[in-house]
Amino acid sequence: MFLSLLVPDLHVESVYDIDLKQLKARGVRGIITDLDNTLIEWDRPDATPELVRWMKEVKEQGFSVVIVSNNKQTRVSKIAEPLGVPYIHQAKKPTQTAFRKATRQMKLSVEETVVVGDQLFTDVLGGRRMGFYTILVVPVARSDGFFTRVNRAMERLALGWMRKRGMIPWEDNNGQT
Ligand SMILES: [Mg+2]
């Protein structure tokens, strides 16, 4: 059913909490990641030193990475190029085109790839409906643009609905979202 497509396989505080060794052990070799509020704040113009270190670590561990963002090229390239990471801008998530393109670029299957992002209606929905293992992170930013705020209001509604029906697996342990 539709709402189960909004439930990520894993929910972590930030990308830095993703257990890369565990992913590798599960056969994952590629990471499709969102940019804004996933890797850095939507209004931060450059990568943080922490992000630079993490990307280096991810590559050293042998993962392929593609940044897949709905934002425009000027924004996405400014972050991705200095990091030396390929990107797809104006990805129109949750549609499938950019996800397919990313796996083709990495020459990996859906099963070998995870999708990481901060939004249910773009990253999680887009990843889940194609069968990717999907990791939701807590948004990095404190303030959001208008459309993201609207999206978040809908996310809260959907999460409340799912919580009532016991559909939120990560709440089984600690009662927090
Ligand atoms: Mg985002």
Side-chain angles (χ1 to χ4, degrees):
M1 70 172 279
F2 174 76
L3 271 166
S4 69
L5 294 179
L6 295 175
V7 182
D9 296 282
L10 185 67
H11 190 208
V12 292
E13 192 68 27
S14 80
V15 290
Y16 309 115
D17 297 304
I18 296 172
D19 188 336
L20 296 173
K21 289 200 170 66
Q22 198 182 50
L23 286 188
K24 221 154 93 173
R26 288 190 32 248
V28 174
R29 297 171 57 205
I31 298 172
I32 292 174
T33 180
D34 176 50
L35 171 62
D36 293 313
N37 294 346
T38 296
L39 297 180
I40 51 171
E41 293 93 333
W42 69 280
D43 56 352
R44 179 188 289 275
D46 297 295
T48 58
E50 194 179 21
L51 177 60
V52 173
R53 275 197 302 274
W54 184 75
M55 274 300 179
K56 189 163 170 277
E57 167 73 10
V58 166
K59 287 189 230 171
E60 280 171 6
Q61 296 252 357
F63 291 96
S64 299
V65 188
V66 181
I67 293 175
V68 173
S69 170
N70 285 354
N71 213 334
K72 52 188 194 293
Q73 183 166 19
T74 48
R75 162 67 176 164
V76 187
S77 65
K78 180 130 196 304
I79 308 296
E81 278 169 11
L83 287 171
V85 175
Y87 65 90
I88 298 169
H89 61 278
Q90 287 174 325
K92 299 191 174 67
K93 292 179 283 185
T95 67
Q96 304 191 7
T97 321
F99 290 111
R100 280 193 205 295
K101 196 172 160 192
T103 50
R104 259 203 315 275
Q105 280 180 10
M106 295 188 287
K107 299 189 173 66
L108 294 175
S109 66
V110 167
E111 292 74 25
E112 292 171 311
T113 308
V114 295
V115 170
V116 182
D118 70 301
Q119 287 199 64
L120 294 182
F121 290 100
T122 54
D123 308 305
V124 175
L125 176 59
R128 290 273 285 141
R129 67 202 283 252
M130 287 186 67
F132 289 104
Y133 186 89
T134 303
I135 302 172
L136 180 70
V137 302
V138 177
V140 178
R142 287 159 294 277
S143 68
D144 276 323
F146 173 74
F147 286 105
T148 303
R149 285 207 307 275
V150 171
N151 237 340
R152 298 231 180 271
M154 293 199 295
E155 282 178 356
R156 278 194 295 277
L157 285 175
L159 278 170
W161 193 93
M162 292 189 284
R163 187 174 296 125
K164 274 190 208 140
R165 284 155 188 81
M167 290 171 65
I168 313 280
W170 62 83
E171 286 196 327
D172 291 343
N173 299 324
N174 54 21
Q176 292 175 347
T177 53

